[in-house]
Amino acid sequence: MLYLSECQLLVIRNLDPLNKSKFEYNSSRWSNLHPDLKCAAQNYCDNDISREHVIESFKKYFDHKVGVEFPFVLTMIWGFADTGYGTYRTNKYYTSENMELMELAFTHVKRKNIQQAYRTLKLINGLNISYISKLLYFSTRALGHSDYFLIFDIRVARSLIRLSCPPTLVNLIDVKPSDKFEHYSQYNVQMHQLAQQHKVSTEALEMYLFLYDE
C-alpha cells in the first residue's frame, strides 16, 4: 500500500491517538448549537474533547445510559473543531429522522454489519465519507471490534497519495476519498494489515496520515 521508513514508524509508535488527538469545544464558536445538543455536551464546555472522550460517549450509548444525540454531538465537535461551519452543519444533521437513522446504523454496527451501517448513514443528507467514517470509527472502537473501522477523510487520502507517488506527480492529482463502501472497506483492511506488519497501532497509523498532510 505504501512504504514507511524506520523514522516514520518511530513517529507513529510515539503517537497517542486516544489522548493527544483532541480539540476544544469552544462555547463561543458553538454558541448557536441546538439547545438539546448544548445540553448533551455541557460537561465539555470550553474543554478539550479527545478521541477517548468520544469513544466513551459511544460506550454509554451502547449501554443505554445516554441518547444517540450525545455521541453524535461529541463526534461533530471533535471533527469540526474550530471550523466556522461546524455549528450550521451539526444543527442541519440534527433531525428526528436523522437520529433514527443513526440509531439504526449503530444497531447494524453492533451486529457487525458495517456495510449496512454505512449505507444507512449515507441516507443522511449532506453526511459524507469523512463523517460517516468518524461515526463508524468511534462506534466500532467503543464496541471493542478488533478490526475497527478508521477515519477516512481528504487529508488521509492525500497523505496516502503523497507517501505512495513520486513527488513530481502528487501535485498533478486532485485527491478525495472514495465514498464507495467497497473502497472504504479495502482501505480499512489494508491499513490493519500494514499496522500489523509494522507492529504499530492502526489508529496511530491513521493519525499519522492525518498529520502528514498538514
Side-chain angles (χ1 to χ4, degrees):
M1 187 179 180
L2 71 160
Y3 170 78
L4 294 168
S5 68
E6 283 302 318
C7 182
Q8 289 170 319
L9 290 171
L10 180 61
V11 172
I12 294 168
R13 292 189 181 103
N14 286 327
L15 290 175
D16 182 11
L18 294 186
N19 298 301
K20 298 300 183 183
S21 179
K22 55 189 177 182
F23 301 101
E24 182 188 9
Y25 170 29
N26 185 308
S27 59
S28 296
R29 184 175 291 277
W30 289 82
S31 61
N32 292 322
L33 188 64
H34 191 285
D36 292 350
L37 301 179
K38 274 188 182 181
C39 182
Q42 61 183 338
N43 289 339
Y44 298 90
C45 190
D46 294 317
N47 287 316
D48 288 336
I49 296 176
S50 67
R51 292 191 187 211
E52 183 65 34
H53 289 136
V54 186
I55 291 169
E56 286 300 317
S57 74
F58 271 95
K59 287 181 180 179
K60 289 180 180 179
Y61 169 73
F62 286 121
D63 288 340
H64 308 289
K65 295 178 179 178
V66 296
V68 73
E69 68 278 356
F70 181 48
F72 160 70
V73 71
L74 288 199
T75 301
M76 295 298 113
I77 293 172
W78 183 87
F80 284 116
D82 59 355
T83 56
Y85 48 82
T87 302
Y88 170 76
R89 290 194 182 176
T90 301
N91 287 342
K92 181 182 176 182
Y93 299 142
Y94 185 59
T95 67
S96 57
E97 181 182 358
N98 287 344
M99 294 302 103
E100 288 176 5
L101 287 171
M102 284 197 186
E103 289 178 335
L104 178 58
F106 298 141
T107 298
H108 289 308
V109 171
K110 201 166 186 177
R111 295 170 179 167
K112 292 194 172 183
N113 188 348
I114 307 301
Q115 183 172 9
Q116 193 57 47
Y118 183 90
R119 288 176 175 172
T120 301
L121 290 171
K122 278 200 75 176
L123 295 175
I124 298 175
N125 185 37
L127 200 66
N128 59 24
I129 179 64
S130 174
Y131 279 85
I132 291 174
S133 65
K134 287 178 177 68
L135 291 165
L136 292 178
Y137 162 67
F138 288 122
S139 57
T140 55
R141 279 290 277 112
L143 289 168
H145 293 189
S146 60
D147 55 346
Y148 58 86
F149 275 59
L150 296 161
I151 298 170
F152 191 36
D153 60 18
I154 192 166
R155 288 178 59 165
V156 171
R158 284 173 177 166
S159 293
L160 287 172
I161 296 299
R162 288 178 63 191
L163 288 165
S164 304
C165 292
T168 53
L169 295 180
V170 170
N171 292 333
L172 305 179
I173 304 170
D174 184 17
V175 179
K176 64 178 181 179
S178 169
D179 67 350
K180 293 182 179 179
F181 177 77
E182 56 267 33
H183 296 159
Y184 176 52
S185 180
Q186 181 184 356
Y187 156 75
N188 283 284
V189 168
Q190 293 186 326
M191 287 284 282
H192 277 285
Q193 289 175 345
L194 189 64
Q196 185 175 22
Q197 175 189 338
H198 292 294
K199 297 180 172 59
V200 297
S201 156
T202 312
E203 60 197 337
L205 175 57
E206 173 259 296
M207 181 180 174
Y208 176 76
L209 294 176
F210 178 83
L211 296 173
Y212 190 82
D213 190 57
E214 283 187 331

